[in-house]
């Protein structure tokens, strides 16, 4: 019944996708854009990035063979919400009040009303824009007892009372998307409700009990048309229907498709069970690969392939919920050779697959070791459109268009790149050197607990060219390099930006314990 309902709903709303008037015919300088963001997919989970991978991802590998595979790409943070903020705004999330952690499914909107997003940038330049999937940037539910509830990060407050029959505010449609369909947080965070163009598709009538292990999700209100196991297929159907609807539309489009997988709950469809010969997580990764293939086929079928920039990446590294012990037992390593995983400041937390296929521009089957960040999306789009960005937008975004235009481009796009962990700990990378301004992982892996880091140096310094697995801390051997990188990070914080331009303000600067630690004199 749910599948029939979804098909009927898709057919009913298809015409809403095309409500805007066509701006122009296909234009190589204004390509269509499809941005697929996987959720908790590790660098080593994609077979073209890991020669020893036990998982075979033929569709993602094909995408890489037809475009550019970046080997040194990073997310804005090692967890969900901050990375998503950076993708859409070109600004590091730690410049907001969210200094650590992630939002809940009930949190208020994180993106400020006056903050430019990449969706708005593209809208202003003639694009039809659509968001489908996991938002996880907060939006404003109609809370019926606001005096008894305060918005905050995940786990900081009880779930509020919400009138789900009332439209949300400050969601995707107010942040740059003509069309939107998705849910508020991660797939393991209540409320489990689809919201289409600001309105819930059904009011939740029951409470789903929490489920443990790899299928984990939290107890919470669930709508009758929301089934956890069907969410990835249903969202994929929506995305394909959107692409089908663009066949007769001359207006360029931007589809931001934020997958809920392979994040928990790890629920691969029946056809993928056992296919990876690893565990449920491996099977779910194969389903993610199949989703990529379905969208590639939809572009091909609709004659949209040649003038579409197709980007595939992940929001952070693999989660421990994948069960690393099980995966190691069959010889699979989601973080490849890198240390750590989701939530950590180590490379496994934020180094991710990043592939760009753009037949009309990007070189086929090329590999780039350029250091880039997911925050670089907005500056790249502005560069592509030859549109200047104002000083108060995209403060941490650098264009990687030169790499797309020439496979011989070798100059650094960025002076440096800043990394951020779930607990708000910082690292800064410049060239081969990476300085971590904390004794441990800053996340969930060892050393993490207070007793683990006791007696360790306050900072960690690694030469990633010689030591990509971050095994040998050189902090005491190169004090000048430590001071150089620390001073550069403090400069980026104080200026409110890492790009050239007028200084900007950060929010939440008072009582910032991570900043206090950075300013420690002990090395």
């Amino acid at each position: 019944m749910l599948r029939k309902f979804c098909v009927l709903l898709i057919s009913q709303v298809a015409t809403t996708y095309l409500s805007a008037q066509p701006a122009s015919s296909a234009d190589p300088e204004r390509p269509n854009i499809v941005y697929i963001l996987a959720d908790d997919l590790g660098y080593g989970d994609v077979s073209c990035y890991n020669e020893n991978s036990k998982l075979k991802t033929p569709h993602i590998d094909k995408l890489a063979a037809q475009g550019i595979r970046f080997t040194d790409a990073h997310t804005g943070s090692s967890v969900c919400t901050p990375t998503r903020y950076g993708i859409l705004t070109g600004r590091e999330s730690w410049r907001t009040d969210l200094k650590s952690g992630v939002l809940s499914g009930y949190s208020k909107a994180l993106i400020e009303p006056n903050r430019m997003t990449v969706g708005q940038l593209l809208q202003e330049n003639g694009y039809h824009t659509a968001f489908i999937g996991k938002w996880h940037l907060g939006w404003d539910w109609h809370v019926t007892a606001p005096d008894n509830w305060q918005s905050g990060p995940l786990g900081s407050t009880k779930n509020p009372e919400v009138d789900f029959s009332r439209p949300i505010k400050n969601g995707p449609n107010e942040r740059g998307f003509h069309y939107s369909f998705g849910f508020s947080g991660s797939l393991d965070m209540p409320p489990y409700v689809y919201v289409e163009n600001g309105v819930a598709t059904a009011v939740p009538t029951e409470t789903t009990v929490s489920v443990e292990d790899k299928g984990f999700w939290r107890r919470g209100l669930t709508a009758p048309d929301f089934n956890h196991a069907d969410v990835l297929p249903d969202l994929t159907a929506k995305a394909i229907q959107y692409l089908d609807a663009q066949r007769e539309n001359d207006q360029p489009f931007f589809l931001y498709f934020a997958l809920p997988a392979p994040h928990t709950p790890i629920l691969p469809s029946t056809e993928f069970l056992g296919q990876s010969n690893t565990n449920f997580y491996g099977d779910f990764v194969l389903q993610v690969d199949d989703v990529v293939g379905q969208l590639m086929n939809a572009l091909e079928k609709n004659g949209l392939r040649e003038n579409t920039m197709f980007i595939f990446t992940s929001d952070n590294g693999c989660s421990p919920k994948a069960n690393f012990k099980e995966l190691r037992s069959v010889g699979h390593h989601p973080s490849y050779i890198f240390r750590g995983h989701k939530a950590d400041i180590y490379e496994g937390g934020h180094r991710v697959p990043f592939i760009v296929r753009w037949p009309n521009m990007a070189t086929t089957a090329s590999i780039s070791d350029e250091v880039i960040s997911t925050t670089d999306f907005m500056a790249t789009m502005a560069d592509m459109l030859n549109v200047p960005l104002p000083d108060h937008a995209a403060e941490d975004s650098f264009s990687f268009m030169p790499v797309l235009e020439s496979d011989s481009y070798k100059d650094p796009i960025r002076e440096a790149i800043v990394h951020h962990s779930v607990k708000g700990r910082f690292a800064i990378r410049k060239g081969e050197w990476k300085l971590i301004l904390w004794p441990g992982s800053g996340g969930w892996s060892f050393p993490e607990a207070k007793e683990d880091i006791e007696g360790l140096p306050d900072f960690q310094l690694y030469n990633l060219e010689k030591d990509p697995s971050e095994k040998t801390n050189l902090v005491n051997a190169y004090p000048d390099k430590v001071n150089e990188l620390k001073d550069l990070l403090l400069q980026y914080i104080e200026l409110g930006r890492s790009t050239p331009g007028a200084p900007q303000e950060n929010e939440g600067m008072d009582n910032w314990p991570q900043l206090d630690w950075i300013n420690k004199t002990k090395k």
Side-chain angles (χ1 to χ4, degrees):
M1 287 296 296
L2 178 60
R3 185 73 63 218
K4 292 180 179 178
F5 169 79
C6 289
V7 172
L8 177 62
L9 183 62
I10 288 169
S11 65
Q12 288 174 339
V13 303
T15 55
T16 66
Y17 293 143
L18 305 176
S19 57
Q21 292 297 313
S24 66
S25 58
D27 181 351
E29 295 182 357
R30 292 197 309 165
N32 307 312
I33 305 155
V34 174
Y35 193 115
I36 298 183
L37 182 68
D39 196 1
D40 288 6
L41 181 74
Y43 185 102
D45 289 328
V46 178
S47 47
C48 63
Y49 279 88
N50 180 359
E51 65 273 16
N52 298 315
S53 176
K54 297 300 180 181
L55 307 179
K56 303 305 176 186
T57 51
H59 301 293
I60 301 173
D61 292 357
K62 180 179 179 180
L63 190 73
Q66 296 173 345
I68 297 177
R69 174 164 59 94
F70 288 85
T71 60
D72 209 343
H74 301 262
T75 53
S77 169
S78 56
V79 284
C80 301
T81 298
T83 290
R84 291 159 199 273
Y85 179 90
I87 289 170
L88 294 184
T89 68
R91 184 185 188 225
E92 299 282 5
S93 181
W94 48 264
R95 298 193 187 279
T96 73
D97 288 327
L98 187 69
K99 303 299 186 189
S100 62
V102 299
L103 297 183
S104 78
Y106 288 101
S107 295
K108 294 182 179 180
L110 179 63
I111 301 178
E112 309 89 331
N114 60 349
R115 169 67 49 186
M116 176 185 281
T117 69
V118 70
Q120 291 166 343
L121 171 72
L122 292 169
Q123 281 183 347
E124 292 170 2
N125 286 274
Y127 278 74
H128 188 273
T129 58
F131 156 75
I132 295 173
K134 167 182 169 176
W135 184 241
H136 210 181
L137 285 164
W139 59 42
D140 300 343
W141 297 101
H142 187 81
V143 178
T144 56
D147 292 340
N148 299 324
W149 172 73
Q150 292 183 341
S151 174
L154 177 65
S156 65
T157 59
K158 294 182 179 180
N159 295 339
E161 296 178 13
V162 171
D163 183 350
F164 290 96
S165 68
R166 301 285 295 273
I168 67 164
K169 296 181 180 179
N170 297 315
N173 295 93
E174 291 83 16
R175 297 297 184 266
F177 294 95
H178 292 110
Y179 175 79
S180 66
F181 181 93
F183 53 95
S184 55
S186 290
L187 195 51
D188 59 10
M189 298 176 183
Y192 304 117
V193 177
Y194 285 132
V195 173
E196 182 173 42
N197 289 329
V199 179
T201 60
V203 174
T205 56
E206 60 184 69
T207 297
T208 301
V209 298
S210 60
V211 179
E212 298 303 323
D213 198 40
K214 291 186 281 292
F216 164 81
W217 67 77
R218 296 168 179 85
R219 176 184 175 89
L221 289 170
T222 305
D225 64 345
F226 196 102
N227 184 310
H228 283 77
D230 288 331
V231 170
L232 182 57
D234 291 343
L235 294 175
T236 303
K238 283 280 189 184
I240 291 173
Q241 185 64 32
Y242 179 80
L243 296 179
D244 288 346
Q246 306 312 307
R247 178 170 47 199
E248 305 300 329
N249 187 17
D250 288 334
Q251 184 179 14
F253 65 85
F254 166 46
L255 170 61
Y256 171 44
F257 186 20
L259 309 184
H263 191 287
T264 51
I266 300 173
L267 297 171
S269 298
T270 303
E271 63 188 289
F272 296 97
L273 289 176
Q275 294 301 307
S276 70
N277 293 316
T278 57
N279 64 2
F280 278 8
Y281 174 79
D283 297 342
F284 213 19
V285 170
L286 298 193
Q287 187 170 350
V288 167
D289 180 67
D290 182 73
V291 167
V292 174
Q294 290 186 57
L295 264 69
M296 292 169 68
N297 290 338
L299 291 172
E300 190 83 41
K301 177 186 70 174
N302 290 303
L304 299 169
R305 177 186 181 278
E306 293 304 309
N307 198 40
T308 296
M309 178 189 292
F310 194 125
I311 298 176
F312 175 81
T313 188
S314 176
D315 65 347
N316 44 248
C318 180
S319 167
K321 285 290 184 180
N323 197 324
F324 293 148
K325 183 178 180 180
E326 284 184 355
L327 293 170
R328 279 196 303 270
S329 71
V330 295
H332 182 68
H333 302 278
S335 297
Y336 186 46
I337 63 171
F338 302 113
R339 184 177 180 180
H341 48 62
K342 175 183 178 176
D344 295 341
I345 201 64
Y346 298 125
E347 291 292 289
H350 49 77
R351 190 186 288 231
V352 292
F354 196 101
I355 298 167
V356 181
R357 185 187 74 177
W358 185 9
N360 279 347
M361 181 64 71
T363 306
T364 300
S366 62
I367 299 173
S368 174
D369 60 1
E370 187 72 40
V371 178
I372 65 169
S373 169
T374 48
T375 62
D376 295 336
F377 184 46
M378 182 183 282
T380 304
M381 296 300 96
D383 194 6
M384 177 187 73
L385 297 168
N386 196 27
V387 174
L389 289 167
D391 271 334
H392 58 274
E395 292 95 330
D396 300 296
S397 190
F398 295 79
S399 172
F400 54 78
M401 269 296 292
V403 183
L404 303 184
E405 293 173 330
S406 172
D407 60 354
S408 62
Y409 185 86
K410 299 299 181 184
D411 294 334
I413 296 292
R414 302 170 140 269
E415 176 185 32
I417 186 170
V418 175
H419 307 304
H420 206 232
S421 78
V422 66
K423 295 182 180 179
R425 300 304 174 182
F426 282 96
I428 183 168
R429 158 97 177 276
K430 183 179 180 183
E432 61 189 335
W433 293 100
K434 176 181 176 182
L435 176 67
I436 298 175
L437 295 105
W438 183 246
S441 70
W444 300 336
S445 73
F446 180 88
E448 176 267 334
K450 183 178 181 181
E451 56 270 23
D452 296 337
I453 64 175
E454 188 173 351
L456 295 177
D458 287 342
F459 298 161
Q460 303 170 67
L461 181 69
Y462 298 103
N463 185 311
L464 292 184
E465 185 175 303
K466 299 176 181 178
D467 181 22
S469 300
E470 297 171 286
K471 295 179 179 179
T472 304
N473 184 3
L474 301 173
V475 69
N476 293 321
Y478 296 92
D480 290 344
K481 182 59 66 176
V482 170
N483 289 327
E484 173 195 342
L485 293 175
K486 174 186 169 182
D487 291 346
L488 183 59
L489 174 60
L490 288 172
Q491 175 184 316
Y492 287 168
I493 293 173
E494 291 164 4
L495 289 176
R497 68 185 315 131
S498 54
T499 56
Q504 300 296 309
E505 294 293 326
N506 299 317
E507 291 84 52
M509 292 295 289
D510 296 332
N511 191 27
W512 191 1
Q514 294 92 338
L515 188 59
D516 292 340
W517 187 275
I518 293 172
N519 281 307
K520 288 170 69 79
T521 56
K522 179 183 175 183
K523 302 299 189 294

